[in-house]
Amino acid sequence: MQLLAIGECMIEMSGGEDGCWRLGFAGDTLNTLWYARAGLHPADGPVGYFTALGTDSFSDRIVDFLDEAGIASGAIRRIPNRRPGLYMIEQKDGDRAFTYWRDTSAARGLADDAEALRAAMRDARMIYLSGITLAILPAEGRARLLDALRAAREGGARIAFDPNIRPALWLDEVEMRDAITAAAAISDIALPSFDDEARWIGDADPAACARRYAAAGSGEVVVKDGAGPVTILSEHAMTDMPVPPAAKVVDATGAGDSFNGGYLAARLNGSTPVEAARAGAAMAARVIAAHGAIIDLPETSDWQTG
Ligand code: ADP
């Protein structure tokens, strides 16, 4: 397997202006996988998603959605009497507002079984997770996931991590910082967004943010900063990569996720970090020019689940 993403896929309801809601499926780690897949060659192996779902019909629909997209779903845990998380997107004062129902979602149990984690990670060349993956887990599950990632890394997998800081999902900020630092320590690639890090951790500038993640243990740090330059710290060299001006910004939802997808696919294909940042910015530019976190990409049509 080229790339395994681990996290929560939710039911997304959007539209609603005329009383009709459109059903979709999304979640930060799935969005990143979706865009990474567009930049990877099917012949180099499948991509997969790991989470926990219920045994209800909406969980089945998520699995069907993944299967149709050519994303391997075979390792996903199914927990009876639990259901997927849900969010609804409304238009409010010209902006998109999100309301979530995810406190008891099945995905919170994704790390309950150490053997299921090991089986999912087996043979993965790269494993991607985010701070949201960590935030939704109980403390024991989080520790189990980090142990499994450590073992996978010792077995040769590369770990990629977007801290995606969302304090609302954490019970306390100290726990949040500790978990994010622990994940950074076992990450080969960290992909923070500067606005989150400045707001919640207090980094003065993207270079300070990059240095902090490198000090925590991340070998390669890529700091996104909206329309500002991407800051890359790799092999002790700091590089700023200017982001080409966007032709059109329609909806910035999914900018960071799609950047990560383009970046990770390029790194898996052998690009340098600076080349990969260019690929990430190009992917994000396409996504912010359209509505929604997941947009159709023509390259994905020839994917088959391996
Ligand atoms: P997040 O969605 O995590 O907050 P950012 O807003 O930092 O992420 O954006 C991620 C990437 O998306 C940026 O590095 C850049 O490549 C692209 N991007 C975001 N906003 C713009 C913009 N206004 N113009 C051009 N590119 C953008």
Side-chain angles (χ1 to χ4, degrees):
M1 175 157 310
Q2 301 192 66
L3 177 62
L4 173 77
I6 302 180
E8 178 170 17
C9 170
M10 285 171 287
I11 298 167
E12 176 191 277
M13 303 300 293
S14 59
E17 290 84 8
D18 53 359
C20 295
W21 293 87
R22 193 167 47 249
L23 178 73
F25 306 107
D28 66 327
T29 46
L30 178 64
N31 306 348
T32 291
L33 183 67
W34 182 267
Y35 293 112
R37 187 194 56 154
L40 293 169
H41 304 292
D44 292 338
V47 300
Y49 196 64
F50 183 71
T51 186
L53 293 169
T55 51
D56 57 292
S57 65
F58 288 95
S59 293
D60 292 344
R61 286 184 197 222
I62 291 179
V63 169
D64 291 345
F65 169 77
L66 297 173
D67 290 347
E68 271 165 35
I71 294 170
S73 63
I76 291 176
R77 291 193 71 211
R78 304 296 288 265
I79 308 175
N81 305 320
R82 299 284 288 276
R83 286 182 294 278
L86 163 82
Y87 66 97
M88 300 186 78
I89 308 175
E90 302 171 278
Q91 292 298 327
K92 245 190 199 161
D93 311 323
D95 243 339
R96 285 152 59 93
F98 293 74
T99 308
Y100 292 91
W101 290 259
R102 69 194 304 190
D103 294 354
T104 57
S105 64
R108 293 182 181 249
L110 73 84
D112 284 355
D113 178 351
E115 186 43 46
L117 285 173
R118 258 195 300 278
M121 292 180 190
R122 197 170 295 138
D123 299 330
R125 281 174 60 201
M126 184 181 279
I127 302 170
Y128 174 74
L129 76 157
S130 76
I132 295 178
T133 312
L134 300 174
I136 62 167
L137 298 179
E140 323 79 71
R142 203 178 299 136
R144 211 175 285 117
L145 176 61
L146 291 174
D147 282 348
L149 289 167
R150 227 171 266 123
R153 192 169 185 233
E154 278 161 19
R158 280 197 281 172
I159 311 296
F161 172 61
D162 182 340
N164 228 335
I165 297 179
R166 298 287 178 275
L169 289 175
W170 292 88
L171 287 177
D172 96 60
E173 277 195 29
V174 174
E175 197 182 2
M176 174 181 90
R177 281 168 213 227
D178 287 353
I180 285 173
T181 306
I186 56 163
S187 295
D188 300 279
I189 304 176
L191 296 147
S193 289
F194 178 63
D195 56 354
D196 292 342
E197 305 289 332
R199 178 162 178 209
W200 301 111
I201 312 289
D203 291 329
D205 52 46
C209 174
R211 279 194 295 270
R212 190 170 51 75
Y213 277 97
S218 307
E220 178 176 320
V221 188
V222 184
V223 186
K224 297 155 279 176
D225 187 16
V230 177
T231 302
I232 303 156
L233 178 53
S234 169
E235 293 178 0
H236 307 291
M238 187 92 75
T239 312
D240 277 350
M241 201 234 27
V243 165
K248 196 162 72 154
V249 182
V250 171
D251 175 8
T253 315
D257 298 339
S258 53
F259 177 96
N260 294 351
Y263 185 90
L264 296 176
R267 290 293 281 134
L268 280 163
N269 290 334
S271 298
T272 64
V274 172
E275 289 164 353
R278 226 171 270 136
M283 187 72 84
R286 293 174 63 176
V287 172
I288 62 180
H291 278 291
I294 285 197
I295 62 162
D296 283 331
L297 295 171
E299 297 93 312
T300 60
S301 57
D302 58 351
W303 270 85
Q304 297 292 323
T305 305

